[in-house]
Amino acid sequence: MRIDILGANGQLGSEINYLSATYTHFDFTFSDVADTDITSQESLRHHFDTVRPDVVINCAAYTAVDKAEGEAALADAINSHAVELLAQFSNEYGFLLIHISTDYVFDGTSCRPYLETDRCNPVSVYGRTKRAGEEALLANAKRAVLIRTGWLYSSFGNNFVRTMLRLGQERPVVKVVFDQIGTPTYAADLAAVIMRFAEISHEINDVQIYHFSNEGVCSWYDFARRIIASVSESCKVLPIVTSEYPTAAVRPHYSVLDKRKIKEELQIEIPHWEDALQRCLAKLL
Ligand SMILES: NC(=O)c1ccc[n+]([C@@H]2O[C@H](COP(=O)([O-])OP(=O)(O)OC[C@H]3O[C@@H](n4cnc5c(N)ncnc54)[C@H](OP(=O)(O)O)[C@@H]3O)[C@@H](O)[C@H]2O)c1
């Protein structure tokens, strides 16, 4: 079976690349924008003519949440228009499309974990472009898995964990918001779940949405405390509210995902975010 990873140099793509060594019975292809630009129909056609994949995992995205506020057209091209192209190609070439979306499609006003069927109402350009990508996939694809995740980090690439490790070593005090609540997701754990879907791809004949993060709930402040404690005994981590740390994009105050559907259908147990973080830190430190 041929598994084709697009946007392969990012956090998630790198984790799938790392994991691929254990799946010796699959043929993997890894490409990023320099080889295959997912916003270009010609580039995608040439790619799929060459690779002839059975499963395509789309890890490519415009993920700079604040920068997206000033680059809506580019974010839309990558997060929405390209997903429409991928959905159409999935029908033409007959591959299963596995696509990743975000907890930021919700507005954060819920007081219980979000279900796959809950109403979307994104509050940022990034969230709106990712939701538009979901709608394009749902309207066009016949065989697809759409996984919403949140607060993604990895030992690869730049992310919150690596930023906090650096700040914890450089500064005596780090202030972090404690009124945005969610669940961190170790990209290695998401990569493993994506491979479970790839393994059963021949059984998938429709389009389904799933929620995935690690288990548990925390604020960015709680998350930062755990990270910084691993590198510094002296750095103080102080809680602040969102209004004390203004950003270009509005972020949901609550974006915990309900994961019952993916756990029941794949028969999996999901690691708690604190255990997952320890595994990532062990790799990094
Ligand atoms: N990061 C998070 O906290 C988070 C949270 C929830 C959901 N997600 C979703 O999870 C998925 C994976 O995220 P990630 O953090 O692994 O992303 P990432 O690290 O930003 O990686 C995205 C990759 O896509 C590439 N790319 C950009 N435009 C492309 C194009 N036109 N054609 C092909 N490749 C292109 C990027 O290349 P360049 O770097 O050169 O642009 C980068 O290598 C995304 O769908 C994202 O929306 C992420």
Side-chain angles (χ1 to χ4, degrees), residues 73-239:
L74 180 60
D76 197 59
I78 300 169
N79 291 346
S80 170
H81 175 64
V83 181
E84 184 175 347
L85 291 178
L86 288 172
Q88 289 164 352
F89 277 120
S90 75
N91 298 333
E92 188 181 333
Y93 286 79
F95 58 77
L96 174 74
L97 176 60
I98 302 182
H99 176 67
I100 316 303
S101 192
T102 171
D103 53 344
Y104 284 8
V105 298
F106 298 115
D107 60 17
T109 57
S110 177
C111 47
R112 53 132 180 92
Y114 280 101
L115 291 164
E116 288 81 354
T117 47
D118 280 335
R119 192 179 72 94
C120 294
N121 184 30
V123 292
S124 63
V125 167
Y126 170 72
R128 278 193 287 278
T129 61
K130 291 295 288 185
R131 177 58 188 161
E134 291 188 353
E135 285 169 343
L137 183 141
L138 295 169
N140 288 283
K142 294 194 176 76
R143 288 178 66 223
V145 173
L146 194 169
I147 307 174
R148 292 192 188 121
T149 190
W151 298 24
L152 201 64
Y153 67 91
S154 163
S155 57
F156 302 101
N158 290 320
N159 52 59
F160 186 80
V161 172
R162 295 186 67 167
T163 302
M164 287 301 130
L165 287 175
R166 180 173 52 77
L167 294 181
Q169 291 171 89
E170 285 173 4
R171 297 189 185 176
V173 174
V174 176
K175 297 178 180 176
V176 187
V177 295
F178 82 116
D179 58 351
Q180 289 172 31
I181 308 298
T183 314
T185 307
Y186 185 21
D189 292 342
L190 176 57
V193 158
I194 288 172
M195 288 310 301
R196 289 289 290 263
F197 281 114
E199 284 181 308
I200 57 161
S201 59
H202 56 282
E203 294 170 23
I204 300 173
N205 289 308
D206 60 359
V207 181
Q208 291 287 333
I209 303 176
Y210 297 91
H211 285 175
F212 182 84
S213 67
N214 282 113
E215 292 285 17
V217 174
C218 67
S219 69
W220 287 109
Y221 159 75
D222 300 305
F223 191 27
R225 265 181 62 102
R226 285 284 194 285
I227 299 162
I228 289 176
S230 70
V231 284
S232 171
E233 285 178 6
S234 57
C235 176
K236 254 186 184 300
V237 186
L238 298 181

Side-chain angles (χ1 to χ4, degrees), residues 10-12 32-33 36-38 60-61 63 100-101 126 130 149 152:
Q11 299 190 79
L12 180 60
D32 208 285
V33 61
T36 306
D37 177 354
I38 65 161
T63 57
I100 316 303
S101 192
Y126 170 72
K130 291 295 288 185
T149 190
L152 201 64

